Structure formats: C-alpha cells, structure tokens
Amino acid sequence: MARSKDKSPSTPKEPGRLKQMWQVFQMTRRYDSNIVLFMILGFLIPVLIGLAFALLLTPDNGFTIALWIVAGVLGGVLAMLIILGRRAEKAAYSQIEGQPGAVGAVLRSSLKRGWVGSEMPVAVNGKTQDAVYRAVGRGGVVLISEGPRTRTARMLDEEKRSVAKVGGNVAVTVIAVGPDSDAVPLHKLARRLTKIKPSLTKAEVLAVNNRLNSMTKKLPIPKGVDPTKARPQRGN
C-alpha cells in the first residue's frame, strides 16, 4: 500500500507589486476624488518639461530628443508614485483621525530616522480617552497631545515638569493633534517633527530617551484604534 504523503497547507501568495499599487490606488480614490487629476498632472508636467528641453537644446537631434522624452516619462512615473504615496497616506490617516490612539499609530509606523517614539501614551485621561505621547529626537523632546487643548493642558504641564526633572535643559516642544483650529493634522505629524531645529546629538537622543523611559509608567493604549492595523506598513 502506497504511503500517503502529508501535504502542507499552501500559504496564500502575496499580491505582486503592481497589484498592491492598484489596491492602494482604489482605496485612495474612495476617499480622495482628486487623486486621478493630481496623478495625471504629475505625469504630464515632467513629460512636457522633457519635451521642451529637447526642442530647445537639441531640435535637430532625434536621438537626443528621444532621450529627453524618455527621461520625462520616467520622471512622470516617479511623480505619479510620489503623489499616490502622499495622497494614500493622507487618506489612510483621515479614516482614523480623531479616534483615540491615532497619534500612537503615527509614532509606531511613520517616524523619520533619528526619532524615537512609542505607540504607548505617557499620560491618559481614562474618562475622555485624551492622551499625551512623547517622541525624542535631534530636536529634543516632543510632547504630542491627542484631544482638545482644554482637556489636555493639565496632562501636558505635568509631563513637561517630569521631562524637566529627568532631561534637565533638553528642549521641549508641544504639538497638539485634535479638533482645535490650529492643531496639526494627523497626516502631517511625522513631517512636523522633522522641521524642529536639531539640538541633540545621536548619543544624547538615546541617553535622554532611556532616562525618560526609566521614569515612565506603563499605560494601556487608548481603545479605539489598533495601531497595527491603522495603515499598511511602509518599507524602510
């Protein structure tokens, strides 16, 4: 009797890069009606620039004209991908903006190099689910409030005092993410951090972050947003 071979369950095949891009485009188009127009403009402008350079600089050389056009097409494709990525990120964050834990999702997945942050808040109001998050980078310590300023002001003051005790003269920046008119939109939070003027070295960033973490109590993530599912993970 022939011995039956155990068949291991086949793992589902991940979609290819083009299919993933199509899925991202479809998702973005549902929340951003202008995505098609921006992508078309992003493609056409480099192509037209390349054609203009070709006709102005080498009007009688067909090979060089072709090279300029190809360069314009490649530039247009790159511009389309950049626009798609930016608009997709904005569309993804618009779905969770205003929910508890949204800032934690950004700190977990979108911090630029040189910054250290956690999806875990350093202070939470159990009744309102307002929270304060912390990030440390070359720009110093940044405290990010999630919720109306009127409800997060006290938590921010307490955290600033705690940072002053541990971090000494380290610069502290406060950023508000919430319903206030002058608050930073969720999709611009990561880029806002990179605009802070550097004041620490890489070694100082690690030292300050370790000192602050040693003094921070572990708090539960506010219910509302699962940071691991808030948006697709970006490649490094």
Side-chain angles (χ1 to χ4, degrees):
M1 186 174 181
R3 181 180 296 177
S4 60
K5 296 181 178 180
D6 295 335
K7 295 183 178 180
S8 59
S10 58
T11 57
K13 188 177 179 180
E14 293 186 359
R17 182 62 59 85
L18 291 178
K19 188 174 182 180
Q20 289 179 350
M21 291 172 57
W22 176 251
Q23 291 173 346
V24 170
F25 171 75
Q26 292 286 70
M27 181 277 294
T28 306
R29 191 170 61 172
R30 288 198 297 268
Y31 298 94
D32 187 352
S33 58
N34 295 321
I35 182 64
V36 175
L37 175 61
F38 280 107
M39 290 183 68
I40 291 175
L41 291 175
F43 176 77
L44 289 179
I45 290 175
V47 172
L48 293 176
I49 292 175
L51 182 60
F53 273 110
L55 296 177
L56 290 174
L57 300 178
T58 56
D60 300 325
N61 191 325
F63 179 73
T64 307
I65 291 176
L67 289 180
W68 275 108
I69 294 176
V70 171
V73 170
L74 294 177
V77 172
L78 178 61
M80 287 177 60
L81 294 178
I82 293 175
I83 291 172
L84 176 60
R86 293 285 179 86
R87 308 291 288 196
E89 183 179 56
K90 182 177 180 180
Y93 282 140
S94 68
Q95 299 176 56
I96 63 173
E97 191 162 12
Q99 298 184 36
V103 170
V106 175
L107 296 183
R108 180 184 182 275
S109 60
S110 296
L111 278 185
K112 305 298 181 182
R113 183 176 298 179
W115 283 91
V116 183
S118 173
E119 62 184 324
M120 296 290 290
V122 293
V124 176
N125 185 319
K127 295 181 178 180
T128 63
Q129 294 297 300
D130 298 326
V132 172
Y133 295 81
R134 185 179 64 225
V136 183
R138 295 291 305 278
V141 177
V142 179
L143 299 176
I144 307 162
S145 63
E146 183 179 74
R149 291 179 186 271
T150 54
R151 298 202 308 240
T152 59
R154 183 175 179 180
M155 288 191 295
L156 282 172
D157 290 339
E158 292 176 354
E159 289 306 316
K160 282 192 285 187
R161 286 195 292 268
S162 298
V163 172
K165 292 178 181 178
V166 179
N169 295 325
V170 177
V172 178
T173 304
V174 175
I175 297 177
V177 176
D180 302 282
S181 59
D182 58 344
V184 176
L186 189 64
H187 69 278
K188 292 184 178 180
L189 176 58
R191 277 175 284 178
R192 173 68 178 82
L193 294 179
T194 62
K195 295 181 180 180
I196 300 174
K197 184 178 179 180
S199 60
L200 299 177
T201 64
K202 293 181 180 179
E204 289 172 337
V205 170
L206 293 177
V208 171
N209 185 61
N210 290 336
R211 289 202 301 268
L212 291 174
N213 285 339
S214 66
M215 299 293 292
T216 301
K217 298 179 181 179
K218 292 185 178 181
L219 297 173
I221 300 176
K223 296 180 179 179
V225 173
D226 183 353
T228 64
K229 298 179 181 179
R231 61 185 295 272
Q233 293 294 311
R234 296 174 60 186
N236 294 328

